[in-house]
Amino acid sequence: MPVQGVCDDISYQKLYLHIMRKLLFFLILLSGCQTEHSSSKIQVLKGATVFDGNGLSIENGTIIISDGVIKEIGGSGIAIPKKSELIDLNGKFITPGLIDSHIHFAQTGFFDGRPDFLDVRDTINFDDLQNDIKNNPESYYEAYLRSGVTGVYDVGGFHWSIDRQLEAENNLNAPHVAASGPFLSGVPEAYLDYLNTSEAKQMVYLASPEIGRKAVKNHTELGSTGIKIWGVFLQDANFMESLGAVADEAFQQGNKLIVHATQLNQAKAALNLGAKILVHSVDDFEVDDEFIQMAKSNDIIYQPTLIAPKGYLMAYTSLQHQIVMEDPNGVMDKRAKNLLKSTTKFRKFADSAFVAARIELFENLVSTRDSIVSINLRKMYDNGIKIAVGTDAGNPFTFHGISIYDEMEAMQDAGIPARDLIIMATKNGALAMDRLDDFGTLERGKLADLIILDKDPSRSISNMRSISHVMRGGKLRPVNKSFGNDS
Ligand SMILES: [Zn+2]
C-alpha cells in the first residue's frame, strides 16, 4: 500500500519532542537570556545585502535581533531602537545559517569510523572511538558552527544521536540537530558488525516485518525524526516485505522514511513506499518522467551528496601520501586534524592489492558517476523538486563542517545557480529537519541563525568560503577564533 502524507499524522512521541523544543524555545524567550552566552541587548545588523533564504535579497538591509530572535527585518527604512548595539555591515553579505542535511556524528572523516571500508580497528579500537565521540560532541559542534553550519541532520547513527536533538537545542556552541537514530538495513548481520560496537548498534538488520515495526516504534519513542533505510534490496523478498512493514509503521507513528537508494528502480520502490527524503542521487540511469512525477506527488526532498565518493578516493590515496585540506580558519575538529597528519602511518595497507583495487574502483566510480548524477540533479532542479544540501560528512575525507563548501561547489558545477543553492543550503535543509518554523530563513519571529560573508554568494557559491562570522540564536562570533578562547 502506498504510504503518503506521513507528516499529517503526528504521533504522541513526535508531538512530545515538538512540544519539548517549543517549550525550550519559549523558556528562552521568557528568560530573556538564551544561555550563559547570550545577551538580552538589542542587536542591529545594518548595511549588508541580505539573502533571506526564500529567494529574496535586500540591499542595505536591517535586521533587528533581541533575545536571540529576529524582531524585524527589512531595508534601510526600518527604525532602529534606542540603546541598541549597531553593527555596521556595509559591503558585507548575510544569509541564513547553513544546514547540512546529511551527516553522521558517529563517523570521523577517516576509516576508523568506517572499518567496513578499511579495517583499522587493530590500531584504533572501535568501541573506544565510539565512546569518545559519544562523550565529546563539542569538537564536531564547533567545526560545524565555525563553518557557518547552524543546523545538521544526522541520518544514521547510534541511539545517542537522537538525544542530541534536545541537548544541542539550547546550546549556542552547537548547531541544531535532527537525528534518525540507527539505520535499518538488509545488509547481513556479519557485515553490520563492522559498524556496531560490543554494546550498541548503529545498524539493525531488517530480518523480519516484526523487527522492522519494533525498530520504528522504538526509534520514534526515543524521539527520532526520520527512519533511515540503508539500501533497497529489490531481489530479496523477505527484505522487501520487512521494508513494507517499516514504511507502514513509520506512517502510523507519524515518522518519515529517509532512503538510501541509488538505482532508479530502487528509488522508485522507495517512493512507492512513501519515502520523503531520497539520499545519494540516482546514479545508474537518467531519471525518467515516471520518477519525477512520483517525486512530485510525494513532495520529496532530494539530497545528491555529490562529494562522498571523491572523499573515499582521497582517503585511500592518503595512505600513500599526506593530503592537506583547505581549512583557512582552522575549524576542523582535533581528531581529524591529527588523523590528517598521520594517515601514512597506515602505510602497511597502502601497498596492498586491496587498496590498489579500491583506488581503481573509486576512480572509476567518480568519473562515471559524476556525469549521471549531475544530469539527474539538473533534471530534478528543472522539474521543481526540492533539493537540499547534504554532505554525508563523517565518511572518509568528507570532514565535519568544512565539507559543506565542497558540496555546494559540486552542485554549482552540476549546473545549479548560486542564488538557488543558497535556498537549498538553508531553507530546504531546515525543511528536511522539520524545523522551518524555527530557522532556515531570515524572517521576523525566527531564531537569529545567520552568517556574514565578505563576498556575494549569489555570484558564486564559492563565496560562502568568505565567511567571517556566524550567529547562532543571537550569539555572534568570528569563525577564525576557537571557542576555547571565546566561551
Ligand atoms: Zn550517509
Side-chain angles (χ1 to χ4, degrees), residues 438-465:
D438 303 322
F439 55 79
T441 58
L442 301 176
E443 295 177 61
R444 190 191 304 150
K446 290 200 180 182
L447 289 169
D449 289 358
L450 54 84
I451 58 176
I452 300 173
L453 310 164
D454 288 336
K455 295 181 185 169
D456 184 349
S458 72
R459 287 184 170 271
S460 166
I461 210 67
S462 296
N463 289 339
M464 286 287 190
R465 292 184 188 273

Side-chain angles (χ1 to χ4, degrees), residues 205-219:
Y205 176 47
L206 207 45
S208 69
E210 293 71 34
I211 287 174
R213 285 189 188 276
K214 197 174 154 197
V216 173
K217 277 186 194 154
N218 183 26
H219 287 28

Side-chain angles (χ1 to χ4, degrees), residues 102 104 228 280 392:
H102 190 130
H104 301 282
K228 176 71 177 293
H280 299 320
D392 215 357

Side-chain angles (χ1 to χ4, degrees), residues 261-276:
T262 53
Q263 295 178 4
L264 184 56
N265 55 358
Q266 296 171 342
K268 284 182 181 175
L271 293 182
N272 261 327
L273 288 165
K276 298 301 277 186

